[in-house]
Amino acid sequence: MKFGIVIFPGSNCDHDVYHVAKHVLGHEAAFLWHKDDGFAGVDCIVLPGGFAHGDYLRTGAMARFSPIMKAVEGFADRGGMVFGICNGFQILCEAGLLPGALVRNAGLQYICRDVFLRCDRQDTPYTGRIKPGTVLKIPIGHGEGCFFAPEETLKSIEEKKQVVFRYCDSGGQITTESNPNGSLRSIAAVCNERGNVMGMMPHPDRCAEEVLGNADGRRIFDSIVHSWTQARRTRL
Amino acid sequence: MRARVFVTLKRGALDPQGKAVCTSLHQLGYREVTDVRIGKCMEVTLGGLPRREAEQRLKAMCDKLLANPVIEDYRFEVYED
Amino acid sequence: MRARVFVTLKRGALDPQGKAVCTSLHQLGYREVTDVRIGKCMEVTLGGLPRREAEQRLKAMCDKLLANPVIEDYRFEVYED
Amino acid sequence: MSRDPEVTRDLALQHGMTTEEYDHAIEVLGRPPSYTELGIIAVMWSEHCSYKSSRIHLKTLPTEGPRLVQGPGENAGIVDVGAGIVAAFKMESHNHPSYIEPHQGAATGVGGILRDIFTMGARPIASLNSLRFGSLDHPRTRYLVGGVVTGIAGYGNSIGVPTVGGEIYFHPSYNGNILVNVMSLGIARRDKIHKGIAAGPGNPVIYVGSRTGRDGIHGASLLASSEFDAESETKRPTVQVGDPFTEKQLLEACLEAMKETGLVVGIQDMGAAGLTCSTLEMAARAGTGMEIELDRVPLREAEMTPYEIMLSESQERMLLVATPQTEARVRAIFDKWDLEASVIGRVTDTGRVLVRAGGRVVADVPAASLADDAPRYQRPSARPAWQDTVQDLQLDAVPDPADGNAALLALMTSPNLCSRQSIYQVYDHMVRSNTVVRPGSDAAVIRLKGTERALALTVDCNSRYCFLDPIEGARLAVAEAARNLACSGAVPLGVTDCLNFGNPEKPEVMWQFIQSIQGISEACRAFETPVVGGNVSFYNETEGKGINPTPTIGMVGMFEDVRSAMTQWFRREGDLVFLMGEGEPSIAASEYLAVVHGREAGRPAAVSLAREKALHDAVRAARNGGLIASAHDCSEGGLAFTLLECCITGPEGAVGAEIRIEGKGRLDALLFGEAPTRIIVSAAPEGRARLEQLALGYEVPVRLLGKVGGSRLTIAAAGGGSVDDLETAPARAAWIGALKNHLAS
Ligand SMILES: Nc1ncnc2c1ncn2[C@@H]1O[C@H](COP(=O)(O)OP(=O)(O)O)[C@@H](O)[C@H]1O
Ligand SMILES: [Mg+2]
């Protein structure tokens, strides 16, 4: 399959995602430039981590207006996979493709360390290979990853099962201590109602190889490939 | 012409920074301070436009870019300099 | 009593945020914008003090904590609510 | 344009020049300088830019090595790491600006060193920092720590270069002068290296990046080249505000331009002394000249004078020389990255830098003579009278505790020995997904994508050792850096140094400096690690009080196979614990003596460089032979504290160990005494005989200390019973939480 990785000015995990897609998974990967207004032949769009436009003003605020985002929205409307990691998640929220907003960490500090995530649902293209309740160890690296949404939005997110991962402890328990940034309801990843667009603050792209001491992140990428394979089978 | 745009966090939205500042003020002995909320203040300089139009366009800038309706409110004042 | 404290970068100091916002406003078609400077606006709520004293103490808070005199200027306005 | 002041001898003195230097300037020009020329010359001949007090001594550093590609003289040094890849690295100080405005000072320090790396055509893949602050009870310390750390994080995290290591020490000698030394390393294909040369008369000189403002005018010449005093306030230039976003764009644009063969002739960042330094150095290196049109320089502020434009230290700017044919392509690339690129002049063959503004010539100076023939001083040096006093330590005056628990707990939570986790957690140390060994072990390890290879990095300096015995302290700093690399399993390739000292016009300071250079030279020769570049920071002195001499050593090592990378903590229950190497541990100059007895005295144990090297070779061989599971440098805090670290520094939690130590003499020396040439390793029992065999082959002593297991660390001395006994899990928590508590106001 082919991953399309968007480069915004200030993206800095673009090469990391490219490496995973191409050299770890052995699939095709192409960079998409923020100034282009279209792309073709891509099966999954990834908005990588970084500090698009410096994250000045608000994270993701300026990036969402990049010409490429129109095409990304169209792709999402047609059911295409759109995966936002960290800054990519922040951009998707600003763009309204995902609910809520990501605000300053409760502790006010940037945090780079491993956290544990509990998978809440398997029926998304990003978790097809991960049973609900599974605990993954995935690093975070952000200063503004606190998921916030007004109460009514939270309610509907929960009702529609749009929470894909929550911060938890190594045993899968959702606790205040295991919530690194104060995210409401320990939300680490959400998807849209249809499930084809997902954003997550933790970085699966930083833990997809044994040489880095942890390959848990690979399971999310494997799921993406899996769902693509499934989809193609049904098409044929 | 200039405009001052104030972007403040919605009531209900978390403001850990404001809390932290409030706490440090207490530690410095300013116990009279009961609350601190931190927002942005943007000084925008605009080339000559009729005032009404300027105001309309500023509103659009705020809705589009300068503020995020999920967490923020805004107001602005236009003035000649 | 409340006070609004405005903290802005000293003139002459580079304001990367303002610069970036100005650029994207241009890209959004707001060419009339010639400059943007971004500062903080803090809403401080204070328990009952005589106005003059409140102002003195606010000045001290700014010098000590709310503003960084090396790169920032500040001003504040006290008002009853 | 405001009229220039009249140039007088007095004005030259106000610019920090001496009478002799002013006369020399007139000689070089053949006439008195114009105001702009005075500014140019003053800044070029400032200590910071000219190295006038240090050059002749720096020349004695070893700069040759089989893997050396580029030694000192360029913006960064380069070594060959195989597979067609080279590594460019350098360390720089941003001490004075960081004291004035810690956040921006540290941030722009990171920005500066990154430009030094990518100006060589290398993509930065890792940064480190070495920080020194005053004592925790000093009123400014907490504020400075907070600002510096968020400054480094804010810039490094945003631009996407992982901060993978560093060191932080607190000591009263830094109360008025903190040290912020930042190191960065980048990689390039060997055939894509670029240099700061303005070759090819007629070639366009292109200014790229941020606009020029009145930032930091005289930052280099006045701030970094004179002591602090009440006046510094008034001398203070506009503080430079870092713009990591623009630098990220600049980084990508520059690398894209340099990737295309033949596009870029030469390139250099505008760092200290901005346009002045870059134009003169680039012309001097190429033996050419330049004609510059200041009217074409993109300005941020109106009405800037030629003097201000030439001396501005605005950040995120580069000077680049292309060719008439490639100029358009270069512009296109910078345009793609939304950056300004304007041709501000041409390369000439006159050997002079000629500067025009508003149609008139404002400066016309000989490049080479200003850049290379700057004044050089053989400053007088003398061993301080007090050196003997501080070296004299009456051991029997120091009480020897009956058991080590209290002291071990004190050391564990002391500001200089407790965990740095709360700090390195705010640095993104994983971006670029190469970090194999994260902060928290003896050396960081970065894999090189597309190869089996990896690099190890460390920065080290014990400035107490350097204060008590400068030459030995410098040798020990290099030895410790090499030992840290050995503990990670890497072979050292090269060194960058950052030499932080007081006022060089004081003979004692000059003596400390010369001694340090000699110590570094001896040690670097022994470990075959050329000094590929570095930085000197003098005048770290306030109201006459100078800092401890602090020659920070940054060392880079290599792995042929990343899988041989090793960490410091015990890994398996049942593994045996050995001490490899030997040394006469002494409490003299030790952290224990300072923390527990409040004294800093005596001489640090001397290092035998040959035996040190043999130890490193043995440990690497043991690792490559699959004989050891972990290795940890036994340094500050001595044997007991190092063993505790082996138990509690692992990311997965604490383990225990049962230890028995032999030895005569004082118990505290045995437990907490410091000595070089000691490494604690853990190994599977089956491998014991082979490990001992191997060590024998290197003539390295190896002593069995005990076994990994349980939840307690117990240390029994050969003579008496248990001298240390504690639960490691709570110890780990206390050790991790300590720094936050120290810094909480
Ligand atoms: N202590 C040192 N050891 C070795 N080389 C040094 C040292 N100090 C400075 N140099 C070298 O001198 C040259 C000029 O240094 P510097 O002016 O700091 O470069 P830059 O202008 O890029 O900061 C560089 O090549 C640097 O590596
Ligand atoms: Mg340089």
Side-chain angles (χ1 to χ4, degrees):
Chain A
M1 70 177 283
K2 185 167 180 181
F3 289 82
I5 300 144
V6 179
I7 301 178
F8 296 100
S11 296
N12 64 29
C13 301
D14 41 357
H15 290 86
D16 304 10
V17 176
Y18 184 92
H19 172 76
V20 172
K22 181 133 187 186
H23 301 116
V24 179
L25 302 176
H27 284 279
E28 273 181 86
F31 286 121
L32 308 177
W33 187 236
H34 67 111
K35 287 178 186 171
D36 297 343
D37 44 24
F39 50 80
V42 173
D43 305 297
C44 173
I45 295 287
V46 183
L47 308 194
F51 287 67
H53 297 271
D55 275 353
Y56 297 151
L57 187 62
R58 280 188 325 277
T59 61
M62 300 184 237
R64 68 171 272 213
F65 292 108
S66 312
I68 193 89
M69 285 304 287
K70 285 243 175 318
V72 171
E73 281 171 43
F75 184 76
D77 290 341
R78 295 192 301 279
M81 286 184 269
V82 177
F83 183 22
I85 302 170
C86 199
N87 195 224
F89 185 13
Q90 295 164 331
I91 294 168
L92 289 172
C93 290
E94 279 280 339
L97 286 170
L98 289 175
L102 292 144
V103 299
R104 191 85 175 269
N105 292 351
L108 293 175
Q109 279 187 323
Y110 185 99
I111 310 170
C112 179
R113 67 170 167 89
D114 289 328
V115 299
F116 293 100
L117 302 180
R118 190 191 70 194
C119 178
D120 271 20
R121 58 182 280 198
Q122 190 168 8
D123 60 341
T124 79
Y126 307 93
T127 51
R129 314 294 269 155
I130 307 167
K131 294 212 169 351
T134 307
V135 174
L136 302 181
K137 183 169 83 177
I138 307 237
I140 54 169
H142 61 248
E144 293 170 64
C146 172
F147 183 83
F148 174 86
E151 195 48 41
E152 57 279 13
T153 315
L154 279 175
K155 274 247 259 2
S156 89
I157 292 176
E158 297 277 14
E159 278 162 15
K160 300 181 176 131
K161 303 253 174 299
Q162 287 174 251
V163 179
V164 185
F165 288 103
R166 292 181 210 261
Y167 299 107
C168 65
D169 62 20
S170 57
Q173 298 308 309
I174 309 293
T175 65
T176 330
E177 302 69 49
S178 58
N179 179 346
N181 53 26
S183 290
L184 298 183
R185 311 203 181 188
S186 293
I187 291 171
V190 292
C191 61
N192 61 353
E193 293 186 31
R194 204 165 154 187
N196 61 310
V197 178
M198 181 177 91
M200 69 190 295
M201 286 313 295
H203 274 283
D205 48 323
R206 294 182 178 188
C207 56
E209 293 167 274
E210 281 309 335
V211 64
L212 298 177
N214 176 10
D216 281 7
R218 173 160 185 166
R219 300 181 59 178
I220 292 172
F221 289 99
D222 284 340
S223 299
I224 294 174
V225 175
H226 173 72
S227 79
W228 172 79
T229 329
Q230 297 292 329
R232 196 180 47 171
R233 265 210 212 86
T234 54
R235 255 185 274 112
L236 299 178
Chain B
M1 184 158 46
R2 286 160 181 261
R4 215 175 270 123
V5 182
F6 303 98
V7 178
T8 53
L9 283 164
K10 274 195 162 60
R11 296 257 152 251
L14 318 159
D15 182 11
Q17 220 179 341
K19 267 211 202 63
V21 169
C22 191
T23 318
S24 343
L25 283 173
H26 287 168
Q27 283 161 355
L28 289 174
Y30 299 101
R31 302 226 139 272
E32 68 268 32
V33 176
T34 56
D35 184 39
V36 179
R37 310 267 310 164
I38 298 184
K40 298 192 200 87
C41 168
M42 311 183 203
E43 183 95 10
V44 181
T45 316
L46 315 118
L49 278 177
R51 192 188 187 86
R52 293 203 63 273
E53 195 182 339
E55 288 177 346
Q56 284 163 4
R57 291 179 66 87
L58 268 160
K59 182 166 184 324
M61 293 182 212
C62 291
D63 293 330
K64 265 208 174 119
L65 178 68
L66 301 182
N68 175 349
V70 179
I71 42 172
E72 296 167 326
D73 297 322
Y74 67 85
R75 61 186 183 76
F76 58 83
E77 43 201 46
V78 176
Y79 61 97
E80 308 295 333
D81 45 359
Chain C
M1 186 158 44
R2 285 159 181 262
R4 211 174 274 122
V5 182
F6 304 99
V7 180
T8 52
L9 275 167
K10 279 195 185 341
R11 286 258 152 261
L14 172 70
D15 176 9
Q17 287 211 53
K19 190 170 130 237
V21 169
C22 189
T23 316
S24 46
L25 282 174
H26 286 170
Q27 283 158 1
L28 288 175
Y30 299 101
R31 298 231 143 265
E32 68 270 30
V33 176
T34 56
D35 185 38
V36 179
R37 309 261 315 163
I38 299 185
K40 286 196 223 80
C41 164
M42 312 185 200
E43 185 96 6
V44 181
T45 316
L46 311 122
L49 278 176
R51 190 188 189 84
R52 293 203 68 274
E53 195 182 339
E55 288 177 346
Q56 284 162 1
R57 291 179 65 86
L58 268 161
K59 182 167 185 324
M61 295 182 210
C62 291
D63 294 330
K64 279 214 193 90
L65 182 76
L66 303 182
N68 174 356
V70 182
I71 42 174
E72 295 170 327
D73 295 325
Y74 67 85
R75 61 186 184 76
F76 58 83
E77 43 200 47
V78 176
Y79 61 97
E80 308 297 331
D81 46 358
Chain D
M1 198 178 294
S2 65
R3 283 193 64 261
D4 291 343
E6 183 198 348
V7 175
T8 63
R9 194 165 293 266
D10 273 359
L11 191 63
L13 298 185
Q14 284 165 39
H15 276 70
M17 294 176 79
T18 65
T19 316
E20 297 69 30
E21 288 169 355
Y22 183 60
D23 293 336
H24 183 48
I26 293 176
E27 207 173 292
V28 168
L29 291 182
R31 58 175 165 77
S34 72
Y35 180 56
T36 305
E37 288 170 336
L38 177 66
I40 291 174
I41 296 170
V43 79
M44 284 305 288
W45 290 358
S46 69
E47 186 62 59
H48 180 87
C49 297
S50 72
Y51 290 84
K52 56 190 169 193
S53 305
S54 56
R55 266 270 186 273
I56 50 177
H57 303 291
L58 294 179
K59 291 248 169 301
T60 65
L61 290 165
T63 56
E64 289 307 314
R67 290 187 165 275
L68 186 91
V69 176
Q70 172 67 57
E74 271 292 335
N75 290 299
I78 300 181
V79 296
D80 191 323
V81 298
I85 303 171
V86 296
F89 58 98
K90 165 118 185 262
M91 181 154 41
E92 281 241 1
S93 65
H94 227 218
N95 304 340
H96 296 80
S98 301
Y99 188 80
I100 290 174
E101 210 306 286
H103 182 93
Q104 295 300 338
T108 51
V110 173
I113 192 61
L114 288 172
R115 284 193 299 281
D116 276 339
I117 300 305
F118 69 78
T119 198
M120 306 297 295
R123 175 177 287 279
I125 59 166
S127 293
L128 299 87
N129 56 74
S130 172
L131 311 178
R132 297 288 186 290
F133 297 98
S135 58
L136 277 158
D137 47 36
H138 186 275
R140 248 173 99 76
T141 297
R142 284 181 180 80
Y143 164 72
L144 290 168
V145 174
V148 166
V149 169
T150 56
I152 291 171
Y155 208 102
N157 297 358
S158 174
I159 198 167
V161 177
T163 302
V164 297
E167 48 171 15
I168 301 179
Y169 286 98
F170 301 89
H171 188 279
S173 80
Y174 304 104
N175 282 351
N177 294 83
I178 63 172
L179 301 185
V180 175
N181 295 176
V182 285
M183 170 177 170
S184 188
L185 175 143
I187 53 171
R189 300 228 56 91
R190 198 184 166 128
D191 56 355
K192 287 280 185 277
I193 299 171
H194 282 69
K195 295 188 179 174
I197 47 168
N203 280 340
V205 176
I206 310 178
Y207 170 118
V208 298
S210 293
R211 295 175 157 247
T212 295
R214 292 193 172 86
D215 314 277
I217 291 170
H218 282 154
S221 60
L222 290 189
L223 278 180
S225 303
S226 60
E227 287 185 33
F228 268 12
D229 51 31
E231 248 180 278
S232 312
E233 295 291 318
T234 57
K235 288 178 186 169
R236 176 184 295 161
T238 319
V239 168
Q240 309 160 11
V241 174
D243 181 356
F245 171 58
T246 298
E247 175 125 324
K248 168 70 168 163
Q249 298 287 82
L250 193 58
L251 159 72
E252 296 301 336
C254 288
L255 290 180
E256 190 170 327
M258 287 188 267
K259 206 151 103 223
E260 289 185 31
T261 316
L263 220 58
V264 175
V265 173
I267 178 170
Q268 168 152 338
D269 69 299
M270 293 192 226
L275 203 48
T276 293
C277 195
S278 48
T279 49
L280 286 163
E281 280 186 5
M282 288 182 79
R285 286 202 195 96
T288 59
M290 266 190 210
E291 276 187 30
I292 300 296
E293 276 292 346
L294 292 189
D295 301 357
R296 301 230 193 111
V297 173
L299 299 181
R300 198 174 77 230
E301 296 172 72
E303 326 265 279
M304 284 181 70
T305 65
Y307 177 99
E308 291 172 321
I309 298 171
M310 288 304 289
L311 268 58
S312 161
E313 294 185 0
S314 291
Q315 299 290 303
E316 292 94 24
R317 305 179 302 164
M318 308 278 276
L319 197 66
L320 182 156
V321 172
T323 73
Q325 297 70 32
T326 61
E327 177 186 325
R329 177 72 190 121
V330 169
R331 289 164 160 291
I333 290 174
F334 282 85
D335 183 62
K336 169 187 170 189
W337 293 97
D338 305 318
L339 290 168
E340 278 184 284
S342 61
V343 175
I344 61 166
R346 306 244 159 240
V347 177
T348 64
D349 58 7
T350 61
R352 304 180 72 84
V353 169
L354 183 131
V355 184
R356 275 201 208 77
R360 67 188 173 93
V361 173
V362 294
D364 181 0
V365 296
S369 21
L370 289 198
D372 309 335
D373 312 343
R376 279 169 206 203
Y377 297 131
Q378 175 63 275
R379 297 206 185 267
S381 91
R383 187 170 190 270
W386 45 260
Q387 200 70 43
D388 293 324
T389 333
V390 296
Q391 285 185 348
D392 166 56
L393 171 67
Q394 298 308 330
L395 279 177
D396 36 6
V398 182
D400 184 10
D403 88 69
N405 254 354
L408 185 55
L409 292 172
L411 287 171
M412 179 178 82
T413 53
S414 68
N416 290 337
L417 294 187
C418 65
S419 168
R420 272 51 188 138
Q421 180 179 311
S422 62
I423 302 242
Y424 62 70
Q425 245 181 30
V426 309
Y427 302 144
D428 186 343
H429 47 264
M430 298 179 73
V431 60
R432 304 201 64 77
S433 61
N434 294 325
T435 311
V436 174
V437 176
R438 305 180 194 179
S441 197
D442 281 324
V445 178
I446 301 292
R447 60 109 174 245
L448 297 173
K449 287 199 183 99
T451 75
E452 297 287 287
R453 294 165 182 260
L455 299 177
L457 303 93
T458 181
V459 288
D460 292 282
C461 179
N462 180 323
S463 71
R464 181 185 297 120
Y465 292 172
C466 295
F467 166 73
L468 294 170
D469 188 345
I471 188 168
E472 198 56 51
R475 288 151 50 95
L476 286 163
V478 177
E480 178 169 0
R483 202 179 313 125
N484 284 334
L485 294 188
C487 288
S488 78
V491 183
L493 297 179
V495 159
T496 178
D497 61 353
C498 196
L499 308 177
N500 309 272
F501 289 80
N503 180 348
E505 294 157 43
K506 296 184 177 172
E508 317 78 67
V509 171
M510 209 54 212
W511 179 79
Q512 294 174 324
F513 181 75
I514 295 168
Q515 289 272 298
S516 304
I517 294 233
Q518 195 182 329
I520 293 171
S521 299
E522 291 172 16
C524 285
R525 289 199 169 83
F527 298 111
E528 293 155 10
T529 51
V531 177
V532 307
N535 183 259
V536 178
S537 171
F538 279 130
Y539 297 100
N540 293 285
E541 201 148 328
T542 298
E543 253 95 56
K545 272 204 247 46
I547 58 166
N548 278 357
T550 314
T552 313
I553 301 300
M555 197 180 280
V556 175
M558 187 184 74
F559 299 86
E560 305 256 325
D561 181 352
V562 59
R563 280 161 305 187
S564 56
M566 197 167 31
T567 50
Q568 67 184 36
W569 47 86
F570 295 147
R571 307 183 73 87
R572 286 180 308 239
E573 293 255 332
D575 274 3
L576 299 179
V577 179
F578 298 90
L579 175 65
M580 291 182 71
E582 88 223 291
E584 263 315 307
S586 152
I587 66 168
S590 71
E591 195 67 31
Y592 160 81
L593 188 63
V595 170
V596 176
H597 300 284
R599 294 198 54 191
E600 300 184 88
R603 300 184 70 153
V607 55
S608 150
L609 296 166
R611 281 178 38 229
E612 185 76 50
K613 174 88 162 46
L615 170 64
H616 302 175
D617 292 337
V619 168
R620 276 185 292 263
R623 175 58 175 180
N624 296 332
L627 295 178
I628 55 178
S630 75
H632 189 17
D633 162 30
C634 184
S635 56
E636 284 129 339
L639 190 59
F641 181 70
T642 306
L643 284 162
L644 180 62
E645 281 188 319
C646 293
C647 291
I648 65 175
T649 53
E652 306 302 339
V655 298
E658 215 174 297
I659 304 295
R660 194 157 181 291
I661 50 177
E662 322 276 320
K664 47 207 156 348
R666 300 176 58 112
L667 177 64
D668 58 3
L670 213 52
L671 293 173
F672 310 115
E674 296 172 15
T677 328
R678 300 192 297 170
I679 292 176
I680 292 188
V681 303
S682 65
E686 313 83 78
R688 175 175 183 179
R690 282 168 58 212
L691 179 61
E692 286 167 342
Q693 256 308 316
L694 179 145
L696 199 62
Y698 288 87
E699 292 174 7
V700 169
V702 47
R703 187 140 45 91
L704 179 68
L705 294 181
K707 175 156 122 293
V708 178
S711 66
R712 309 181 71 81
L713 170 63
T714 61
I715 303 179
S722 136
V723 290
D724 271 302
D725 181 6
L726 46 79
E727 276 289 336
T728 53
R732 182 173 192 266
W735 171 77
I736 288 176
L739 191 55
K740 233 188 173 64
N741 299 339
H742 286 304
L743 291 173
S745 40

